[in-house]
Amino acid sequence: MPSQKMSLKDLKEPKRLYPNTTLVEAGKATSVIVRPGDPRYIPLAEQVQVKLRELSGAKVSIVTDEEVGGRPPKANLILLGNLNTNRVAFRLYGYNYTAADDLYPGRGGHLLQTIHDPWGNGRNAVGLFGSDFDGVR
């Protein structure tokens, strides 16, 4: 999400595309798991971490949404929760990058979503979203 406003007159070329959301490359993590502050999400984030390590051999770090803050990330993000539980998802929801909230995808429902370069720095996000904890799980 660029910090400055732009107009069509400022555009000199189309936005560069980053179609691949790499989570691990050459045995090194290129992503971070971002969990809500709610402690129920700790084992869930650890399950994602373990599975990624089994598949790739790399240990992907786990951080809280508060640790990420409003800064553009330096790695691709794996987001757990929804706009009401994860501050990063809240910002993406506010900019219409995701529709995951308490009503969509519905009670117990989940949404797996990729989000293309929302920060304008070549980093993408993968949302493991749900309307409630059971949906995310």
Side-chain angles (χ1 to χ4, degrees):
M1 293 167 275
S3 60
Q4 63 186 17
K5 292 186 178 187
M6 296 183 70
S7 74
L8 289 176
K9 293 183 280 185
D10 298 321
L11 293 177
K12 300 192 181 6
E13 60 186 60
K15 179 180 176 182
R16 184 166 178 205
L17 299 179
Y18 300 92
N20 298 319
T21 305
T22 307
L23 305 179
V24 173
E25 187 170 28
K28 301 238 181 214
T30 58
S31 60
V32 176
I33 300 164
V34 183
R35 69 168 182 83
D38 182 337
R40 293 182 303 164
Y41 286 89
I42 294 171
L44 190 56
E46 290 171 343
Q47 286 177 3
V48 173
Q49 182 185 52
V50 166
K51 193 61 172 176
L52 285 170
R53 189 170 206 161
E54 286 174 6
L55 293 171
S56 69
K59 184 175 182 180
V60 176
S61 297
I62 300 171
V63 299
T64 65
D65 57 337
E66 195 170 296
E67 291 174 84
V68 174
R71 300 176 311 277
K74 295 179 180 171
N76 292 321
L77 302 183
I78 303 168
L79 305 171
L80 304 178
N82 69 33
L83 88 110
N84 293 309
T85 59
N86 188 312
R87 295 170 198 218
V88 179
F90 174 81
R91 287 184 59 90
L92 295 175
Y93 182 92
Y95 285 102
N96 294 314
Y97 282 106
T98 184
D101 58 22
D102 284 350
L103 298 176
Y104 179 80
R107 195 164 99 187
H110 62 274
L111 172 65
L112 173 61
Q113 178 184 11
T114 57
I115 302 171
H116 177 264
D117 192 24
W119 300 279
N121 67 349
R123 302 294 181 235
N124 297 335
V126 175
L128 306 178
F129 297 133
S131 291
D132 51 27
F133 178 76
D134 287 336
V136 177
R137 188 165 37 121

